[in-house]
Amino acid sequence: MNVLLTTSPAPAKSPFFCNEKRFPLGVGFLLSVLRRAGHKVYFIDNFLKLTRFWEDDFLMRKEIDFVGIYASTICFNGTKEIISGCDGLRKSGRWRGKIMVGGPHTSVDIESIPPPVDFIVRGEGEHAILDIVEDRALTKIVDGKRVEKLDELPPPAYDIFANHQPPYENTVECFPDNPVFTMNTSRGCPYTCKFCSVQGVWGRKYRMFSAERVYEDIKWLQKDFGVKGIYFREDNFTASLPRVDQFCEKLLMDHNQIKWLCETRVKPLPKEILKTMARAGCKWLYLGCESGSQRVLDKIDKRITVDDIRNVINWCKELGIKCYTSWIIGTPGEEESDRAATFSLIDELKPFSAGIHVFIGLPGSVFYHEMLNNRQYVYKDDLGLLYSSDWNKLAIRLPAYLAEDKFCPSQTLPFRFYKKLVQYALKFGEKYPPMGSILKKCSRSEVITACSNQLVKLFN
Ligand code: B12
Ligand code: SF4
């Protein structure tokens, strides 16, 4: 079969940062399993660059049998546009193929998928996509069977991504050399942080590629693609400490040791393992710290203490690992004193970088369902995202959400800027009514101009 896999274009404006353009590795796994089974694959990354392939003769020219679309909640309006474009071609009799949709959005809001879609895959796609393409799928909704032994999967189609035009982002701030490739080596997360939608998408069972396999893939990426660094772009790279230890052991014996960074929690992350990670080439950690208030950490079910945060950041400083720390303000039940504790902890610890994010209810998270059931929100947008009454007041992100330019202040904010920005945002936010009323009372363009002008002034 001829299969086109494609991602959905990013919205023009979003409260989420949509300018990081890295490999869509999940789609990469699907491309690889399809190729391994003998199908011909095509790939168009609309998230990277919008290509309105349904408006020309691409599907007919390539005799595409299936179009498979990666859908995320944030880009879902773009997904709908692709579906309607492909369905339009079918209705006009020009194309006869089938449409399938997968990705995180199908797991959290299946009802939103429009009727012209022939197959909707919830969860993992590797088994499901073969069942669909090889005519074994019996129902429209296919519950993707989990891949229990991830080592049995081929690596994602890095060849397609590495040679892609336009190119993907392949640098990270902390390494002088590039290319830096992303890897995704685990699925699921055993924790239940209430703001996080990962359990809604992946479940709590943690599955992973073995340390040996991760190491082998890195050697291959170094050899075939000249890769200089690896960014483990996944929810919880260190959830299995024995695997981290085995992986580091392999790297320690390697004369061509790769530099790497990963995303993780502060607990469990003992100093001993951090020492080993630093020796094995770990340069940077992206840490979900979330709050400096123990009351909030408990409320969001983070299962860490403020001292855990303190320890890890201080140890990393000693060991030469830079910390990008991520914080959330405005979670349900948070008070002014909790936020003050967060800002003062950031002030005390002075991490390399602090990204401060204003809470938005994401489908699939525990808070989302609580907010919906208790009507604890002032605004629900067209994607179903929930905004609490605090959102506007705390809207550090408001300028990014509304501004026309690319400036997104809460993303990887260098420490020297954060304090000024927070003070400013709190002051500025109070001048405006909550989000719901902004949308009703002001024209968007007025707010856009106000926000972007004032921020530009602040930074100049
Ligand atoms: C790496 C990453 C990125 C990368 C790459 C994105 C990508 N498309 O893979 C970049 C930096 C570009 C990115 C950007 C964003 N991301 Co991101 N990202 C991730 C992360 C950490 C890992 C993605 C991954 O590799 N997963 C592993 C692979 C195996 O899974 P997968 O990609 O979902 O694909 C599997 C299945 O979904 C399915 N499948 C996928 N597509 C299709 C298509 C068909 C036809 C079929 C049959 C099956 C199928 O099969 C695949 C293989 O099993 C996830 C968290 C997570 N655990 O997934 C968040 C995640 C996907 N991101 C998220 C968000 C919100 C964003 C952004 C809005 C940025 C932001 N500010 O947060 C943008 C939007 C990007 C987009 N294209 O939609 C959310 C999405 C939530 C939602 N409900 O949609 C997630 C789930 C994290 C979270 N907070 O919950 N992200
Ligand atoms: S925030 Fe991180 S640790 Fe918590 S549930 Fe989500 S992925 Fe797991």
Side-chain angles (χ1 to χ4, degrees):
M1 289 288 162
N2 293 340
V3 185
L4 167 68
L5 293 187
T6 184
T7 59
S8 305
K13 289 182 190 125
S14 171
F16 285 84
F17 182 72
C18 287
N19 284 331
E20 188 185 355
K21 308 284 179 172
R22 299 195 189 267
F23 304 159
L25 293 173
V27 174
F29 281 114
L30 302 178
L31 290 165
S32 290
V33 295
L34 284 166
R35 266 199 312 211
R36 187 169 71 177
H39 301 286
K40 182 148 178 64
V41 296
Y42 296 88
F43 171 62
I44 295 178
D45 194 338
N46 281 300
F47 183 70
L48 180 64
K49 182 175 184 284
L50 178 59
T51 312
R52 306 176 76 82
F53 64 85
W54 56 93
E55 287 179 356
D56 61 31
D57 62 351
F58 181 86
L59 297 183
M60 290 70 83
R61 203 166 14 96
K62 301 287 182 192
E63 299 180 343
I64 299 295
D65 300 299
F66 288 90
V67 172
I69 312 167
Y70 172 92
S72 71
T73 303
I74 310 303
C75 303
F76 191 60
N77 286 330
T79 313
K80 288 197 280 194
E81 205 183 336
I82 304 179
I83 295 167
S84 120
C86 296
D87 191 45
L89 287 177
R90 279 202 300 212
K91 286 193 175 124
S92 70
R94 295 176 64 206
W95 180 63
R96 288 160 178 276
K98 301 258 190 237
I99 305 171
M100 48 187 176
V101 175
H105 187 70
T106 57
S107 299
V108 296
D109 191 5
I110 199 155
E111 270 105 52
S112 62
I113 311 291
V117 171
D118 302 284
F119 296 101
I120 307 171
V121 174
R122 246 188 324 211
E124 265 156 80
E126 285 87 351
H127 292 298
I129 204 162
L130 286 179
D131 285 347
I132 294 170
V133 167
E134 294 171 0
D135 204 18
R136 289 188 298 270
L138 302 173
T139 48
K140 173 170 174 164
I141 297 176
V142 182
D143 278 315
K145 201 171 116 212
R146 295 210 160 135
V147 181
E148 292 302 334
K149 293 185 182 152
L150 289 177
D151 278 5
E152 288 173 2
L153 288 180
Y158 282 107
D159 55 322
I160 295 180
F161 299 144
N163 299 313
H164 199 278
Q165 284 307 327
Y168 284 92
E169 201 169 325
N170 68 4
T171 56
V172 285
E173 236 178 301
C174 58
F175 302 148
D177 303 328
N178 61 72
V180 175
F181 274 20
T182 44
M183 286 182 84
N184 187 282
T185 71
S186 63
R187 296 180 186 184
C189 175
Y191 295 91
T192 50
C193 308
K194 288 186 166 179
F195 58 87
C196 175
S197 67
V198 163
Q199 318 114 45
V201 178
W202 288 103
R204 291 186 63 190
K205 188 168 175 205
Y206 188 74
R207 285 157 299 139
M208 58 199 169
F209 284 90
S210 66
E212 291 73 22
R213 168 64 190 272
V214 178
Y215 176 75
E216 274 164 27
D217 282 0
I218 292 176
K219 296 317 294 172
W220 166 65
L221 293 177
Q222 283 180 306
K223 188 168 140 287
D224 282 24
F225 300 97
V227 167
K228 299 289 191 310
I230 297 292
Y231 179 1
F232 292 104
R233 193 79 171 71
E234 57 196 74
D235 304 311
N236 198 340
F237 180 72
T238 63
S240 161
L241 294 179
R243 182 181 77 139
V244 178
D245 200 44
Q246 288 156 13
F247 171 60
C248 291
E249 286 302 314
K250 292 243 160 224
L251 292 176
L252 286 168
M253 288 187 300
D254 187 347
H255 65 279
N256 185 17
Q257 193 190 73
I258 194 100
K259 296 188 180 72
W260 54 282
L261 69 149
C262 68
E263 303 180 354
T264 192
R265 298 164 45 89
V266 297
K267 188 183 179 183
L269 209 49
K271 190 171 185 185
E272 276 316 300
I273 198 91
L274 278 172
K275 269 189 199 163
T276 314
M277 287 163 66
R279 282 196 300 128
C282 175
K283 297 289 168 203
W284 177 296
L285 285 185
Y286 181 114
L287 294 170
C289 298
E290 327 307 359
S291 177
S293 153
Q294 191 59 50
R295 204 181 74 88
V296 170
L297 289 173
D298 295 341
K299 258 183 176 310
I300 64 176
D301 200 19
K302 189 73 199 177
R303 302 192 205 172
I304 60 174
T305 64
V306 173
D307 274 341
D308 294 326
I309 301 176
R310 213 173 248 127
N311 288 341
V312 166
I313 294 178
N314 287 332
W315 292 333
C316 283
K317 278 189 191 159
E318 267 174 50
L319 295 165
I321 300 177
K322 286 184 176 154
C323 291
Y324 169 88
T325 53
S326 175
W327 310 82
I328 310 183
I329 55 174
T331 46
E334 188 191 60
E335 289 170 10
E336 199 54 59
S337 57
D338 299 311
R339 274 190 291 277
T342 298
F343 298 142
S344 96
L345 185 66
I346 300 175
D347 231 352
E348 173 201 322
L349 297 173
K350 297 186 175 40
F352 179 76
S353 161
I356 300 159
H357 307 271
V358 183
F359 172 77
I360 292 175
L362 254 189
S365 64
V366 173
F367 272 151
Y368 187 82
H369 296 288
E370 285 181 7
M371 284 167 87
L372 260 189
N373 292 340
N374 307 331
R375 288 205 61 87
Q376 285 169 320
Y377 60 95
V378 293
Y379 183 64
K380 184 177 182 191
D381 72 13
D382 58 340
L383 299 167
L385 306 180
L386 298 181
Y387 300 79
S388 71
S389 57
D390 272 351
W391 198 76
N392 250 25
K393 188 164 148 248
L394 301 173
I396 295 171
R397 278 189 160 228
L398 188 60
Y401 182 39
L402 298 166
E404 306 279 19
D405 55 29
K406 284 187 184 162
F407 182 55
C408 181
S410 72
Q411 208 64 25
T412 318
L413 198 63
F415 179 73
R416 63 185 184 284
F417 284 150
Y418 103 87
K419 202 169 170 184
K420 236 173 156 185
L421 183 61
V422 168
Q423 284 165 351
Y424 168 79
L426 289 173
K427 202 166 124 211
F428 167 72
E430 275 157 16
K431 285 191 209 153
Y432 288 87
M435 186 67 189
S437 32
I438 280 193
L439 291 180
K440 280 187 214 127
K441 287 186 191 153
C442 310
S443 86
R444 277 168 97 87
S445 59
E446 277 168 36
V447 186
I448 292 165
T449 326
C451 295
S452 39
N453 286 350
Q454 293 189 44
L455 263 173
V456 170
K457 251 188 253 156
L458 179 82
F459 280 93
N460 278 340

